[in-house]
């Protein structure tokens, strides 16, 4: 049962990242087709953000809906003392996300009649683009972990989707902010494609931004009180919200792994080995 529960979480991360990558790459391919340029460009920004919000809401009770290796690491770091993702998730989630991103790129290419696998020649890296990636990723981590720290994890789908739109329009890099999806975009030569040689630079910039975001969380929110969230629980996105601790507890109770059944900073109470006692006051 424990293996089955872990498989479900990994599958949710892979499927969610695949859908996100497919919509992001597909919206870029759609925007490049003949038609109203302004509307197509707006749709290319809005569609991935809407997909992200939906995916976070639907998959949060299953896996926490990280959909981003840096979100997985950030949630682990902030919750490592009292209920962050277990070591299996810390290793397995990024692998599942990377596989999902590659599958999403293949699906997007197929839907638009392109070769299923093609090497992108677009989006070269550079200092200004890497700076933009660091800023966008740092704010994403601040949003996700700040909501967790403040007990407002249920707002993560809306907040992360909104930041995705704002960062896409307001940064020179277009806010990739996700190493798995960044690598997946190297498998499509469309408008959203990234040159494979530029992927390492973008990923390093994203990692630096995530580290800066965690420092900002510690600076702005201070030490965690250790009290579980009273606002529904959350886990991070690309990043993200886990507004379903009760559902997760029911789904994964049979696995006897409380730390992997929730990725919120507050660990779910461990089942008691003693029979319940009635206390009358």
């Amino acid at each position: 049962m424990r293996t089955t529960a872990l498989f479900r979480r990994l599958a949710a991360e892979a499927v969610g990242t695949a859908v996100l990558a497919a919509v992001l790459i597909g919206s870029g391919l759609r925007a490049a087709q003949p038609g109203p340029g302004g509307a197509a460009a707006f749709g290319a920004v809005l569609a991935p953000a809407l997909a992200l919000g939906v995916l976070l809401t639907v998959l949060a009770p299953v896996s926490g809906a990280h959909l981003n290796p840096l979100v997985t690491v950030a949630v682990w770091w902030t919750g490592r003392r009292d209920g962050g993702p277990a070591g299996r998730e810390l290793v397995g989630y990024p692998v599942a996300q990377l596989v999902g991103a590659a599958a999403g790129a293949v699906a997007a290419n197929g839907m638009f009649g392109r070769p299923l696998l093609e090497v992108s020649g677009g989006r070269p890296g550079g200092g200004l683009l890497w700076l933009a990636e660091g800023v966008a990723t740092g704010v994403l981590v601040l949003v996700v972990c700040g909501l967790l720290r403040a007990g407002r994890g249920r707002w993560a789908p809306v907040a992360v989707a909104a930041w995705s739109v704002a960062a896409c329009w307001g940064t020179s890099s277009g806010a990739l902010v996700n190493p798995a999806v960044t690598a997946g975009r190297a498998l499509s030569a469309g408008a959203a494609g990234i040159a494979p040689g530029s992927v390492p630079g973008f990923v390093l910039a994203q990692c630096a931004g995530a580290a800066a975001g965690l420092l900002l969380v510690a600076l702005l929110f201070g030490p965690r009180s250790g009290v579980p969230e009273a606002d529904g629980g959350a886990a991070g996105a690309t990043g993200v919200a886990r507004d379903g601790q009760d559902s997760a507890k029911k789904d994964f109770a049979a696995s006897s792994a409380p730390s992997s059944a929730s990725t919120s900073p507050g660990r779910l109470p461990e089942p008691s080995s003693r029979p319940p006692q009635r206390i009358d006051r």
Side-chain angles (χ1 to χ4, degrees):
M1 294 298 292
R2 181 177 301 179
T3 303
T4 301
L6 176 61
F7 176 79
R8 290 173 59 193
R9 293 194 292 276
L10 295 178
E13 288 296 307
V15 171
T17 310
V19 173
L20 177 62
V23 172
L24 193 153
I25 294 172
S27 62
L29 293 172
R30 176 68 180 85
Q33 293 180 344
F42 180 74
V45 173
L46 186 60
L50 292 176
L52 182 58
V54 171
L55 291 169
L56 299 186
T57 303
V58 172
L59 298 178
V62 180
S63 67
H66 296 183
L67 313 184
N68 185 331
L70 293 179
V71 170
T72 297
V73 173
V75 174
W76 169 80
W77 179 260
T78 56
R80 65 194 186 283
R81 294 186 180 90
D82 56 351
R88 294 175 302 167
E89 282 84 357
L90 185 61
V91 174
Y93 274 27
V95 174
Q97 292 154 358
L98 185 60
V99 171
V106 170
N109 289 335
M111 287 188 293
F112 285 87
R114 306 178 69 91
L116 296 182
L117 288 176
E118 55 183 358
V119 178
S120 175
R123 194 68 66 92
L128 295 180
L129 296 180
W130 294 337
L131 174 61
E133 275 301 287
V135 171
T137 308
V139 176
L140 173 65
V141 170
L142 175 61
V143 169
V144 171
C145 295
L147 288 171
L148 297 181
R149 188 67 62 86
R152 296 292 183 268
R154 67 179 61 185
W155 292 102
V158 174
V160 171
W163 174 244
S164 297
V165 174
C168 188
W169 277 111
T171 64
S172 58
S173 67
L176 311 180
V177 303
N178 187 327
V181 175
T182 299
R185 290 169 67 164
L187 302 178
S188 176
I194 300 173
S198 300
V199 171
F202 279 114
V203 171
L204 288 175
Q206 292 161 358
C207 291
L214 287 173
L215 290 176
L216 285 175
V217 172
L219 174 66
L220 298 178
F221 292 89
R224 189 169 55 253
S225 64
V227 178
E229 294 184 53
D231 190 44
T238 15
V240 184
R242 188 148 199 188
D243 186 23
Q245 285 187 350
D246 292 338
S247 298
K249 184 177 179 181
K250 293 177 181 178
D251 288 341
F252 305 132
S255 69
S256 300
S259 63
S260 63
S262 171
T263 56
S264 68
R267 186 190 297 270
L268 289 174
E270 295 185 2
S272 173
S273 59
R274 295 177 299 176
Q277 299 179 1
R278 178 176 179 180
I279 301 177
D280 296 324
R281 294 183 179 272

